[in-house]
Amino acid sequence: QITLGRATKDNQIDVDLALEGPAWKISRKQGVIKLKNNGDFFIANEGRRPIYIDGRPVLGGNKWKLNNNSVVEVRI
């Protein structure tokens, strides 16, 4: 499992997206990428802003299957 978001002193994550742009626009836990038992990867959007997978928005509270070479974008 890999967490994407904004690190704080009380919230450690794997990929700190605040290093790439305005930190206040990124949720502390924007998304989580998980590997399922069958070998598929899924991303769950746990933030308020959409995460884009291959140009398609995945809204907060939803998940999406990642394919080989999927492009994951968190726009701020």
Side-chain angles (χ1 to χ4, degrees):
Q1 169 173 309
I2 298 171
T3 56
L4 314 168
R6 174 173 45 94
T8 64
K9 66 179 183 174
D10 299 325
N11 182 50
Q12 297 301 312
I13 48 115
D14 298 308
V15 179
D16 189 358
L17 299 171
L19 300 173
E20 300 297 322
W24 61 272
K25 291 187 175 185
I26 300 293
S27 296
R28 285 186 289 274
K29 192 170 182 185
Q30 182 68 49
V32 178
I33 298 174
K34 292 183 181 182
L35 173 63
K36 299 293 183 178
N37 290 337
N38 64 0
D40 290 339
F41 285 94
F42 282 84
I43 188 166
N45 185 348
E46 298 188 3
R48 290 180 302 211
R49 296 180 179 274
I51 295 175
Y52 293 84
I53 308 300
D54 299 324
R56 294 184 180 129
V58 178
L59 303 178
N62 292 296
K63 65 181 180 178
W64 194 267
K65 181 181 179 232
L66 298 174
N67 297 311
N68 275 347
N69 299 317
S70 282
V71 175
V72 177
E73 296 175 85
V74 179
R75 299 178 188 172
I76 50 176

